[in-house]
Amino acid sequence: MSLLPRTAEEFSSAEYWERFFKKRGEKAFEWYGDYNKLCGVLHKYIKVQDKVLVVGCGNSELSEQMYDVGYKHLTNIDISETVVNHMNQRNAERRPGLTFQQMDATQTPYEEASYQAALDKGTLDAMASEEEGALARNMLTEVARVLSFGGRYVCVTLAQESVIKLAVDRFVQLGWAVRLHCLQEENRSVEDSFALPVFVLVCTKFRQPMPMPILEMCLGEDGAPTRLTQVSDLLSAVREHQAYSVLKKRLRTSTDASSNLSLTLSHTKTGLPRYTLTVQDCPPGAKVPRSNQFAIFIVPQGSETAWLYSSSEGRRQLAASANFRRLVIVAMHRNQEYTDMQDVQSELSPMVMDLAPPGMPANQQVPFLSVGGDLGWREEVSRGVSELSGEYCVENVKGEDGELYRRLVFLSNAALVQSESRLVPSNTVSAASGQKKKSKKKAKPTTAPSTSSTSLSVDSGFLCCAHHEVMVAGLTMLGVGTPQNKDVPVSVLLVGLGGGGLPQFLRDFVPNVTVEVVELDPVVMQVANEWFGFRPDDRLTVTLGDGLKHICALEKEGGRLFDVIMFDVDNKDSTVGMSCPPAAFVETSILQKVRSLLTPRGIFTLNLVCRDSVLRKSVLERVSAVFPTIISRKIEGEVNEVLLCSHGENGTSKAATILPSLNQAGKSLQSALYSNRTGPNSSPHIDIAELLKDLKIE
């Protein structure tokens, strides 16, 4: 609309409103909603017999409509002479008791405590941007002066953060109670509706100022108030409602298959996150049945980090399989209780239509989809805080393959599983042989396991992380397990412990191996010991400290070389396009030190997770400058790739000769892993031949 102000400053100038109302003419501009939208909350806080001061009345029909339903004690003031004259003329005959006066709301002649209510529709918003808020503060001071004890300042506002903060800070300082209503949108046409919701701020004056702030938020005119402790919490709640309103407007007006719009729904009373909803639209031109407009997919608990649900590509694949015009993918949060699928549907159903695609009939049924019709199962077994990585939790989950798993998750990045191990009953560690893979088939309904978590133990022969399997398969480049290397020791330096699954697998199944692990975070070491069955010994040692400093120290000391150096360490800086390893680990100076610490046959193994193609290219250039031979292996369905690097000469030609020989070496390694198992009830669940497929020379 061309009449909307271009800048906030325009709102506050008398000259602007003079031009505005002259241009607008007879038609009332209901900027913040009309009487029909506001009457519920107005009648709740303003009694018909109250003496009401309407500040900045404009040419709104609100005062006229209130007068017509019985409010006969309205005093309307406005800074614009034009609008005051117009409104007096318009109401002279029909509403002789309704008066309009030209007046500055910051300086009125009225006596103290002479009004029971002050009504403000947009005036605070207009004033707040002028003189760094001084004008608005003066107006609020004047309102406070003229209101009697028990009186209310009722302000209709779009709740720009600086405006709300100014008003709430002022009234909290005065010891008033503050309540904010977010009015739900009516069924207006999409074209006519604003993106931002309208709020009504209600501040109540007490005879004795409140010693502690009373801050409340309500959804709708009759919503139960949620008590908040700080002004910042109230501002945060406002931002969430505004963001949701903007999201709804966008979803009602367009579809976008490339977008990843998401929102989090929190528990009303506790404020804790309960659901995260991600919207996935089908691509233009997709053949979707007319009846398949919209569906909700419930992700089983514990599966939310799976590629199919956590990645953009995975969600697109899921949506294509479901074949709906719009699919909303719902993930459930930790520390929340969910009874069953029916309860989840009942909880989500009231807001489902807010997310519907444009043009969908309002009465159309929206199906809820799931894996096997079940919510999945998750059990938190430990929670703590690391000074280095923040809050973490250890949880048991039931996977879509029906197996039990234990996970370490740092809550600063709850979508990423830091470490994972398979669980089995303590007395029955599986003795199945090498061919291992988690089933890709959809699960049977998942329920709580019959085995108590206290009687479960970690299956050390099962590597949950596919990149760990590839790192083990990379030992074929050393000829581990071949006849000519029988009884030849293998020394490994691993930076990054995690839950200890990889180093423990190496110790338990690789013949003649010694493993030294460097781990920065002592809490990770503690968690690995307590919850992931990690048990160091003389062949598996751990050094607590900075991996980079440790490498520098080893290089400076000299005298120690390793057959394999592995980097499996994540980057805590989420703003960088490379989440593993931290950038410092692939600087040329560090790579050169790594090379100097390798034996002549040694290999450098790097777990690389880089979404930035330019950054990845830069990393590969630096690595190849130090290690001429690089063989890479992408991890299916993940961003991870493993680089197997050798410092021999004639890199490309050497790599080309290595690849054909790896198949036979892989068979030898597979046999050696199984032969070297540490006990009758422990076996390596790994298929080396499969892992050696799809190797690529960089």
Side-chain angles (χ1 to χ4, degrees):
M1 182 185 293
S2 61
L3 291 171
L4 292 177
R6 295 176 182 171
T7 64
E9 287 77 9
E10 284 187 286
F11 279 14
S12 57
S13 68
E15 292 79 9
Y16 168 77
W17 291 112
E18 285 293 315
R19 295 194 309 271
F20 176 83
F21 285 114
K22 284 180 179 178
K23 184 177 181 181
R24 188 66 184 176
E26 291 294 318
K27 189 174 180 181
F29 183 49
E30 295 300 341
W31 189 281
Y32 294 80
D34 58 12
Y35 173 78
N36 291 329
K37 178 172 183 174
L38 301 173
C39 62
V41 71
L42 295 183
H43 288 298
K44 186 181 182 81
Y45 294 106
I46 303 176
K47 298 181 177 67
V48 171
Q49 65 271 23
D50 283 349
K51 189 177 178 184
V52 183
L53 177 65
V54 184
V55 295
C57 60
N59 70 343
S60 169
E61 297 175 356
L62 182 60
S63 290
E64 296 167 329
Q65 292 164 327
M66 291 178 69
Y67 185 89
D68 291 344
V69 298
Y71 288 90
K72 302 303 182 183
H73 309 289
L74 302 174
T75 301
N76 301 276
I77 63 173
D78 197 278
I79 199 170
S80 168
E81 183 179 0
T82 298
V83 74
V84 166
N85 290 338
H86 171 75
M87 295 302 286
N88 278 323
Q89 292 171 10
R90 192 166 85 183
N91 290 283
E93 293 184 8
R94 292 184 57 192
R95 304 176 184 91
L98 186 61
T99 60
F100 295 82
Q101 303 173 29
Q102 183 188 9
M103 195 169 298
D104 182 349
T106 66
Q107 295 177 322
T108 70
Y110 309 121
E111 295 180 3
E112 290 186 13
S114 55
Y115 288 89
Q116 287 79 53
L119 178 58
D120 171 350
K121 194 175 81 164
T123 301
L124 176 67
D125 290 4
M127 287 185 166
S129 61
E130 187 160 300
E131 299 176 11
E132 298 182 345
L135 196 65
R137 278 188 286 272
N138 291 340
M139 187 266 286
L140 295 177
T141 299
E142 185 66 2
V143 164
R145 184 185 69 82
V146 301
L147 280 178
S148 59
F149 294 122
R152 293 188 172 107
Y153 170 60
V154 180
C155 175
V156 184
T157 171
L158 291 182
Q160 184 177 343
E161 183 164 322
S162 59
V163 175
I164 287 295
K165 187 175 188 307
L166 182 152
V168 173
D169 282 345
R170 180 65 181 134
F171 287 116
V172 166
Q173 185 181 33
L174 293 173
W176 293 27
V178 174
R179 178 177 290 179
L180 193 62
H181 286 262
C182 178
L183 298 188
Q184 295 168 311
E185 294 184 41
E186 302 166 10
N187 295 322
R188 297 178 291 176
S189 67
V190 170
E191 294 78 10
D192 291 341
S193 61
F194 289 108
L196 291 179
V198 171
F199 292 82
V200 179
L201 176 67
V202 182
C203 303
T204 305
K205 183 177 183 178
F206 290 116
R207 185 177 300 275
Q208 293 293 330
M210 304 304 295
M212 297 293 291
I214 296 179
L215 303 169
E216 294 177 332
M217 185 79 186
C218 304
L219 184 59
E221 60 188 43
D222 294 320
T226 300
R227 184 67 62 90
L228 303 166
T229 57
Q230 301 179 48
V231 174
S232 59
D233 295 333
L234 185 67
L235 298 178
S236 178
V238 169
R239 284 195 300 271
E240 289 171 3
H241 287 299
Q242 290 171 330
Y244 181 51
S245 187
V246 171
L247 175 65
K248 286 193 296 181
K249 174 70 179 295
R250 183 172 171 182
L251 292 174
R252 284 199 306 262
T253 55
S254 65
T255 59
D256 184 357
S258 63
S259 175
N260 282 289
L261 290 174
S262 66
L263 68 149
T264 298
L265 305 181
S266 298
H267 194 284
T268 305
K269 292 183 178 179
T270 65
L272 294 174
R274 186 158 171 80
Y275 299 100
T276 292
L277 281 60
T278 304
V279 178
Q280 183 62 58
D281 290 330
C282 69
K287 294 182 179 180
V288 177
R290 179 170 294 186
S291 59
N292 285 17
Q293 289 284 318
F294 187 36
I296 312 297
F297 183 90
I298 308 297
V299 178
Q301 292 183 88
S303 297
E304 59 278 343
T305 58
W307 174 82
L308 190 64
Y309 311 125
S310 64
S311 69
S312 299
E313 186 179 347
R315 288 190 292 265
R316 283 194 292 270
Q317 182 175 308
L318 177 65
S321 175
N323 200 25
F324 280 81
R325 188 177 171 208
R326 172 170 290 164
L327 185 69
V328 173
I329 301 162
V330 180
M332 293 170 280
H333 279 250
R334 295 173 177 85
N335 285 338
Q336 294 288 312
E337 292 185 4
Y338 306 92
T339 306
D340 53 33
M341 183 63 73
Q342 186 175 352
D343 278 1
V344 169
Q345 291 185 25
S346 299
E347 196 172 7
L348 292 173
S349 290
M351 63 174 305
V352 159
M353 292 307 295
D354 285 346
L355 310 178
M360 192 184 102
N363 59 350
Q364 184 163 333
Q365 291 281 16
V366 179
F368 280 73
L369 313 177
S370 64
V371 177
D374 195 84
L375 295 180
W377 177 82
R378 182 194 346 245
E379 174 192 44
E380 185 176 301
V381 295
S382 179
R383 184 175 284 251
V385 177
S386 159
E387 290 185 6
L388 297 175
S389 304
E391 191 175 7
Y392 70 86
C393 75
V394 179
E395 59 188 17
N396 296 338
V397 301
K398 196 165 190 178
E400 291 188 18
D401 57 1
E403 299 286 349
L404 297 181
Y405 296 91
R406 179 163 292 163
R407 294 172 175 172
L408 168 63
V409 178
F410 285 107
L411 300 184
S412 58
N413 189 1
L416 176 68
V417 175
Q418 186 76 18
S419 298
E420 183 176 26
S421 294
R422 190 169 73 174
L423 298 175
V424 290
S426 297
N427 57 346
T428 57
V429 177
S430 171
S433 65
Q435 272 55 8
K436 162 260 177 183
K437 271 294 170 189
K438 287 191 230 179
S439 171
K440 297 289 184 181
K441 295 179 181 179
K442 293 301 179 185
K444 301 172 184 177
T446 51
T447 55
S450 56
T451 306
S452 168
S453 61
T454 57
S455 61
L456 297 171
S457 61
V458 168
D459 184 353
S460 65
F462 189 93
L463 292 171
C464 288
C465 299
H467 71 275
H468 284 170
E469 296 181 289
V470 176
M471 295 171 95
V472 171
L475 296 177
T476 55
M477 291 179 65
L478 293 176
V480 173
T482 58
Q484 60 267 35
N485 285 311
K486 186 179 181 182
D487 299 326
V488 175
V490 179
S491 56
V492 178
L493 175 64
L494 170 61
V495 180
L497 174 65
L502 175 59
Q504 201 147 256
F505 184 97
L506 294 171
R507 187 268 313 276
D508 290 349
F509 301 106
V510 177
N512 308 306
V513 75
T514 56
V515 183
E516 179 181 344
V517 184
V518 185
E519 172 55 48
L520 179 64
D521 194 340
V523 171
V524 170
M525 173 70 173
Q526 178 185 338
V527 169
N529 284 328
E530 186 173 354
W531 294 106
F532 290 86
F534 182 66
R535 296 292 178 265
D537 57 21
D538 57 342
R539 295 175 52 232
L540 172 54
T541 60
V542 179
T543 300
L544 287 174
D546 186 306
L548 292 178
K549 292 180 179 178
H550 190 73
I551 287 172
C552 293
L554 287 172
E555 192 253 356
K556 186 175 181 180
E557 293 167 5
R560 290 188 64 194
L561 298 178
F562 299 89
D563 296 303
V564 187
I565 296 179
M566 298 178 171
F567 282 1
D568 186 28
V569 55
D570 67 322
N571 186 4
K572 302 301 182 188
D573 185 357
S574 59
T575 63
V576 181
M578 182 167 64
S579 54
C580 186
F585 279 78
V586 285
E587 293 295 334
T588 300
S589 60
I590 294 298
L591 295 172
Q592 289 172 340
K593 294 181 191 302
V594 169
R595 173 174 174 157
S596 71
L597 290 171
L598 288 171
T599 61
R601 67 170 186 157
I603 59 172
F604 168 50
T605 305
L606 173 65
N607 175 30
L608 179 63
V609 184
C610 189
R611 291 174 171 81
D612 185 329
S613 59
V614 175
L615 183 56
R616 179 185 180 274
K617 182 180 178 182
S618 172
V619 170
L620 283 175
E621 287 175 351
R622 273 177 275 148
V623 175
S624 62
V626 179
F627 297 94
T629 303
I630 302 177
I631 298 175
S632 67
R633 170 64 149 78
K634 292 274 190 182
I635 306 302
E636 182 183 359
E638 298 179 22
V639 185
N640 298 62
E641 59 183 315
V642 176
L643 304 184
L644 305 171
C645 313
S646 168
H647 57 98
E649 301 301 325
N650 301 318
T652 303
S653 60
K654 181 181 178 182
T657 60
I658 287 176
L659 288 180
S661 67
L662 290 183
N663 289 333
Q664 183 56 47
K667 294 177 182 177
S668 298
L669 177 59
Q670 183 81 54
S671 176
L673 293 174
Y674 192 73
S675 301
N676 196 61
R677 53 184 178 157
T678 55
N681 291 327
S682 182
S683 297
H685 306 265
I686 191 168
D687 186 348
I688 299 297
E690 184 68 26
L691 294 166
L692 293 177
K693 294 178 180 179
D694 302 319
L695 294 178
K696 176 185 175 184
I697 301 171
E698 293 290 345

